[in-house]
Amino acid sequence: MIQRPPALEKLLEILRSLPNVGPKMSERIAFHILRMPEDKIRDFIDILEASHAEVRPCPICGHWDDSSPCRVCQDPSRDKTVLCVVENSQDVQAVSRIKNFKGIYHVLGGTLSPLEGIGPDDLQITSLLKRLETEPIQEVILATNSDMEGESTAQYISKQILSVSAKIRGNGRPEGIKITRPAQGLPSGGELEYMDELTLTHAFDGRREFDRN
Amino acid sequence: MIQRPPALEKLLEILRSLPNVGPKMSERIAFHILRMPEDKIRDFIDILEASHAEVRPCPICGHWDDSSPCRVCQDPSRDKTVLCVVENSQDVQAVSRIKNFKGIYHVLGGTLSPLEGIGPDDLQITSLLKRLETEPIQEVILATNSDMEGESTAQYISKQILSVSAKIRGNGRPEGIKITRPAQGLPSGGELEYMDELTLTHAFDGRREFDRN
């Protein structure tokens, strides 16, 4: 084996620490970076510095943005009574593609995962419950992923909200908070024969009368 | 859609320009970078700057290293009569794992690819031919990949070397230069039933008498 320059070894090491980047891919990316012309690498570094300095989690909802509070929390046209709880900031972006949803968000920053040592205190759950006490929220959509971690996180948060909801009701608020979860079923364009059992079970359990119009 | 911070858009754009990084992956990497603590992002930037400044192609063989000429070209224990021609610097690293090979290298910087507009002048072929005239090279191993581009590049270089070789012979050097190419056949651990037709053809064409000892 030929010894590699220490600077290249360090570059490979830090690239491998990025999500989904394995040894082969780290090499490809490393040599792509080494081959960048001077002005391109300068740009790259400037962009890394600027984005890291400017883009921060919103102190209210946790969505990553360059304004504080974020542009969603500052938007007066949003329906402040419907709050969508998501795992991360990318999910905010995904949900924002739904034309019919004009509510606000709350970013948990992950899901409960006992195996990885992620408990309730590692997620933005306390701040979520605080918001329910102080903001005029009537519905919470628990839009965590429909995998095991997402399901159990939704379960946990739902229970927490119910207790807070009872407290709020005691404090004079007329109704409890409605808790919903996105429907599970066949994805659009999904072919029955390729669907797993759980997806099919959810799709059949949640079947609705066919709309003949 | 919620508008994204311009700094984040720029970060996503430059990440997508890296090899094998698609839209989803660029988002994962971007948020991983945004979440890095201050000292980690500083490290990342320092490593990018240092590696880009220090690691350069060797003026003799084209291998990327932090010394110039590179550590292979400077190594007195290397057999300077056997030159291995490879596509890129990662291939030097791969070939260097072969215990029996102690020769020197020449990095082409790619392969001929008319479709991508890469011709002979875009590769380090002229410098290779110069080396054959001035260095005591007796064998050239054309170790380009065994795909179409690699094969045709090896073909092209072989022809170029033959003409130079004739010239050298005219200049008083006793013999021509031997040109070889790594054997093609079954990869170690390869299962016959999963091999493509071309691999099997090469393996059968190149069959050797079974060694019974």
Side-chain angles (χ1 to χ4, degrees), chain A residues 72 74-80 102-103:
Chain A
V72 185
Q74 280 186 10
D75 181 353
S77 76
R78 293 260 157 193
D79 179 356
K80 305 271 203 267
K102 285 283 166 238

Side-chain angles (χ1 to χ4, degrees), chain B residues 20-65:
Chain B
N20 296 60
V21 177
K24 274 288 149 220
M25 192 156 170
S26 71
E27 294 208 1
R28 271 189 210 165
I29 295 177
F31 278 96
H32 181 94
I33 288 170
L34 293 182
R35 270 192 286 259
M36 279 181 178
E38 204 57 56
D39 57 332
K40 192 81 192 286
I41 188 81
R42 208 51 261 169
D43 272 2
F44 189 20
I45 288 171
D46 288 348
I47 289 168
L48 283 173
E49 274 176 335
S51 59
H52 194 267
E54 290 169 22
V55 185
R56 303 248 157 217
C58 170
I60 299 172
C61 75
H63 179 49
W64 291 69
D65 199 18

Side-chain angles (χ1 to χ4, degrees), chain B residues 41-208:
Chain B
I41 188 81
R42 208 51 261 169
D43 272 2
F44 189 20
I45 288 171
D46 288 348
I47 289 168
L48 283 173
E49 274 176 335
S51 59
H52 194 267
E54 290 169 22
V55 185
R56 303 248 157 217
C58 170
I60 299 172
C61 75
H63 179 49
W64 291 69
D65 199 18
D66 59 357
S67 59
S68 177
C70 76
R71 60 194 79 204
V72 185
C73 288
Q74 280 186 12
D75 182 353
S77 75
R78 293 258 158 197
D79 179 355
K80 305 272 204 263
T81 66
V82 186
L83 179 89
C84 177
V85 175
V86 290
E87 294 180 15
N88 57 45
S89 222
Q90 293 103 293
D91 295 332
V92 171
Q93 210 62 34
V95 174
S96 78
R97 286 189 211 111
I98 308 170
K99 283 204 186 68
N100 296 341
F101 181 75
K102 285 283 165 238
I104 52 178
Y105 297 89
H106 191 83
V107 177
L108 293 172
T111 46
L112 295 175
S113 174
L115 280 175
E116 293 176 48
I118 302 171
D121 293 342
D122 301 308
L123 304 178
Q124 295 301 319
I125 295 178
T126 312
S127 59
L128 168 65
L129 301 175
K130 271 260 144 54
R131 292 184 71 183
L132 298 183
E133 290 186 44
T134 54
E135 299 180 30
I137 295 155
Q138 287 166 21
E139 180 181 353
V140 174
I141 306 173
L142 296 173
T144 51
N145 289 343
S146 68
D147 53 14
M148 216 163 64
E149 288 84 6
E151 287 294 340
S152 60
T153 305
Q155 283 286 348
Y156 178 84
I157 293 174
S158 153
K159 276 181 202 149
Q160 299 296 108
I161 294 175
L162 283 173
S163 66
V164 172
S165 193
K167 202 169 106 194
I168 294 172
R169 213 178 295 144
N171 282 0
R173 284 268 295 276
E175 295 131 75
I177 291 162
K178 191 171 154 189
I179 304 170
T180 58
R181 183 133 173 78
Q184 292 200 5
L186 304 173
S188 179
E191 294 181 44
L192 228 67
E193 62 173 317
Y194 296 117
M195 293 298 139
D196 62 291
E197 199 183 316
L198 203 59
T199 300
L200 284 175
T201 306
H202 285 310
F204 274 62
D205 283 353
R207 68 189 181 277
R208 310 194 322 183

Side-chain angles (χ1 to χ4, degrees), chain A residues 1-3 5 20 25 27-28 31 33 36 42 45 49 52 64-65 71 90 93 96-97, chain B residues 1-3 5 20 25 27-28 31 33 35-36 42 45 49 52 65 71 90 93 96-97:
Chain A
M1 280 290 273
I2 297 164
Q3 204 204 316
N20 297 60
M25 190 155 172
E27 295 207 1
R28 271 190 210 163
F31 278 96
I33 289 171
M36 278 180 179
R42 208 49 263 165
I45 288 171
E49 273 176 335
H52 194 267
W64 290 69
D65 199 18
R71 60 195 78 204
Q90 293 102 294
Q93 211 63 33
S96 79
R97 287 190 212 111
Chain B
M1 281 289 275
I2 297 164
Q3 203 204 319
N20 296 60
M25 192 156 170
E27 294 208 1
R28 271 189 210 165
F31 278 96
I33 288 170
R35 270 192 286 259
M36 279 181 178
R42 208 51 261 169
I45 288 171
E49 274 176 335
H52 194 267
D65 199 18
R71 60 194 79 204
Q90 293 103 293
Q93 210 62 34
S96 78
R97 286 189 211 111

